[in-house]
Amino acid sequence: MTDKTTDLKSMLKDPSLLETRAYINGAWTDGDDGTFDVTNPARRDTIAKVANLSRKQIAGAIAAAEKAQKEWAKWTGKERAAVMRKWFDLMMENQDDLGKILTAEQGKPLAEAKGEIAYGASFIEFMGEEAKRVYGETIPGHQRDKRIMVLKQPIGVAASITPWNFPNAMITRKAAPALAAGCAFVARPASETPLSAIVMGVLAERAGIPAGVFNVVPTSSSSEAGKEFCENPAVRKLTFTGS
């Protein structure tokens, strides 16, 4: 090992946060297509080999999310808010480590990376509280004997494709409102920065988010992941940030 090699695990207060497998249906999963390298953009060395999922595995994650979502939707807003608050708390408790992981794979200064963790956590905090306030409404009718009522319900499975420049905040910004509303979520992070996404699966598990409700599917094949998200009828919403 040279002084130019990044030993990321040794830098962390909690080395167990550095996970390289996919998180599907509450289980840590290897990739059918082996692994792909994640490199430190400053030193150009490999810092991790991450599970490279096949399209079939991504379809399996969607199926697991569809099944889990039905029970998650039955939870009250207050119950969902409680586990999301724990998720937020765990992010802030581990802000230093999450910042180091983000810097190692993405390259932004550590202070900025830690700032992104707080920024990303703020979406979970805010949307978790909003889970308690998903109100319906009564709309004035067009006739005297008519009453129009609106009941808001979760739509099903949401999927995301997120970029490398904000590998934490772009996921929490998308996942938090979906989970708060009672949807399940499948996240496909950029292949340059999957570790920041996978650690969110570690913390989701610790927070008590049920298996299958939040899934992370790293893959080096962006086209196959995108096709599965677009063509799978179980995916009811797709959120994408990129060029």
Side-chain angles (χ1 to χ4, degrees):
M1 183 178 292
T2 70
D3 60 355
K4 291 186 178 181
T5 300
T6 307
D7 184 4
L8 182 54
K9 185 165 284 192
S10 70
M11 300 177 186
L12 305 179
K13 299 173 186 176
D14 181 1
S16 67
L17 291 172
L18 185 61
E19 179 59 67
T20 58
R21 293 170 293 177
Y23 185 58
I24 299 174
N25 199 27
W28 294 101
T29 307
D30 293 324
D32 286 348
D33 293 339
T35 62
F36 61 90
D37 291 347
V38 178
T39 59
N40 181 320
R43 296 175 175 172
R44 302 295 182 185
D45 63 314
T46 299
I47 58 175
K49 292 183 178 293
V50 171
N52 193 14
L53 267 60
S54 65
R55 180 169 176 173
K56 181 179 179 181
Q57 286 181 296
I58 295 172
I62 294 168
E66 184 181 28
K67 183 177 179 180
Q69 188 272 330
K70 291 176 173 60
E71 179 60 32
W72 179 242
K74 295 177 184 177
W75 285 37
T76 66
K78 184 177 180 180
E79 289 171 328
R80 291 196 293 268
V83 292
M84 290 182 70
R85 179 70 200 195
K86 181 62 176 175
W87 203 19
F88 163 80
D89 289 339
L90 287 169
M91 283 188 69
M92 297 310 298
E93 288 169 15
N94 294 281
Q95 183 180 13
D96 288 349
D97 279 352
L98 268 61
K100 290 174 183 175
I101 291 171
L102 198 156
T103 289
E105 66 178 351
Q106 198 274 340
K108 66 179 60 176
L110 182 58
E112 194 171 323
K114 290 171 63 176
E116 181 181 335
I117 301 305
Y119 178 54
S122 72
F123 292 116
I124 295 176
E125 180 186 36
F126 182 88
M127 292 300 174
E129 291 300 310
E130 286 297 291
K132 305 172 186 177
R133 290 180 281 274
V134 183
Y135 301 136
E137 57 184 327
T138 303
I139 301 171
H142 63 291
Q143 294 178 338
R144 293 181 181 182
D145 62 343
K146 298 296 187 293
R147 179 181 296 172
I148 303 170
M149 300 178 66
V150 176
L151 177 65
K152 295 180 181 179
Q153 296 177 311
I155 196 168
V157 177
S160 72
I161 297 173
T162 51
W164 59 270
N165 58 336
F166 285 90
N168 178 278
M170 286 297 97
I171 290 176
T172 58
R173 187 175 189 171
K174 299 171 184 298
L179 266 60
C183 296
F185 201 79
V186 181
R188 189 268 165 172
S191 56
E192 294 89 349
T193 55
L195 301 175
S196 291
I198 297 171
V199 73
M200 291 304 298
V202 174
L203 297 183
E205 184 177 48
R206 294 180 186 180
I209 293 175
V213 171
F214 180 75
N215 307 271
V216 184
V217 289
T219 177
S220 63
S221 180
S222 57
S223 61
E224 288 301 294
K227 287 176 183 177
E228 186 60 37
F229 283 167
C230 290
E231 296 174 4
N232 193 312
V235 176
R236 305 297 303 189
K237 289 287 183 181
L238 174 60
T239 172
F240 166 78
T241 300
S243 299

